[in-house]
């Protein structure tokens, strides 16, 4: 039994599988590319960086659904080959302990707080955000590119 106050929510396996099918049929909004540096293509399914030479699919994903002022669709990567969905969901993924921005949302998908990681421990920021009873979930994004990386829910 663990006492973590949060749960990491990696991209659903169905979404990764759909992207793999779409790229195989030549969908114009799904690009198959090869990672060329160790920290350029984070896979949202296994929550680790694709290694140079590994193939990834780049495609648009609506982290915040349409019909809301903060709706957001943006590009994400998944491994082109099958990978294992991140399963240590009570632990913050080690590959993303820097270069991230945290956005806290309420239950209506409004951003109510935001903070750049900036050398702080992610667990502390998560704890602070969830101390606000209005915070329904926290989205972690790239601080440079702005791309959605993963979601964090209350445990
Ligand atoms: Zn992966």
């Amino acid at each position: 039994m663990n006492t973590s106050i949060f749960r990491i929510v990696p991209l659903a396996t169905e979404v990764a599988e759909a992207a793999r099918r779409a790229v195989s049929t030549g969908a114009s909004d799904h690009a198959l590319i090869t990672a060329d540096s160790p920290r350029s293509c984070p896979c949202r399914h296994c929550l680790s960086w694709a290694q140079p030479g590994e193939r990834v699919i780049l495609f648009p994903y609506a982290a915040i659904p349409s019909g809301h002022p903060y709706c957001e669709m943006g590009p994400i990567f998944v491994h082109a080959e099958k990978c294992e969905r991140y399963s240590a969901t009570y632990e913050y993924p080690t590959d993303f302990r820097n270069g991230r921005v945290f956005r806290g949302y309420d239950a209506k998908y409004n951003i109510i707080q935001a903070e750049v990681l900036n050398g702080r421990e992610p667990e502390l920021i998560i704890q602070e955000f969830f101390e606000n009873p209005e915070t329904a979930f926290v989205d972690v994004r790239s601080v440079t590119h702005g791309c959605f990386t993963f979601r964090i829910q209350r445990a």
Side-chain angles (χ1 to χ4, degrees):
M1 169 148 182
N2 76 82
T3 56
S4 176
I5 63 159
F6 63 83
R7 287 293 178 273
I8 303 295
V9 185
L11 190 73
T13 299
E14 304 84 73
V15 177
E17 287 294 324
R20 289 165 186 148
R21 283 195 301 274
V23 80
S24 71
T25 62
S28 65
D29 60 351
H30 284 60
L32 185 62
I33 54 183
T34 302
D36 59 1
S37 69
R39 292 174 71 85
S40 58
C41 303
C43 175
R44 273 53 165 204
H45 185 245
C46 62
L47 295 184
S48 59
W49 294 99
Q51 292 308 297
E54 280 189 314
R55 291 185 314 156
V56 291
I57 301 164
L58 180 64
F59 66 102
Y61 175 71
I64 304 297
S66 62
H68 304 278
Y70 285 91
C71 72
E72 198 155 6
M73 177 178 279
I76 63 170
F77 293 108
V78 293
H79 277 115
E81 306 299 327
K82 264 191 197 308
C83 61
E84 195 171 325
R85 192 175 188 228
Y86 183 78
S87 60
T89 54
Y90 48 88
E91 290 172 19
Y92 188 89
T94 53
D95 276 12
F96 304 108
R97 296 194 74 89
N98 51 47
R100 300 297 118 181
V101 60
F102 287 65
R103 292 186 191 162
Y105 290 81
D106 67 16
K108 294 178 172 170
Y109 297 101
N110 296 306
I111 297 178
I112 54 173
Q113 46 198 343
E115 186 165 336
V116 175
L117 199 48
N118 237 348
R120 295 189 63 205
E121 294 294 319
E123 290 85 354
L124 287 178
I125 296 178
I126 296 165
Q127 184 179 338
E128 286 172 10
F129 277 28
F130 282 150
E131 278 168 6
N132 180 345
E134 296 288 298
T135 303
F137 62 93
V138 178
D139 276 2
V140 179
R141 289 177 167 261
S142 162
V143 73
T144 51
H145 290 59
C147 308
F148 173 79
T149 311
F150 57 89
R151 179 157 295 171
I152 302 169
Q153 291 179 338
R154 292 176 184 274

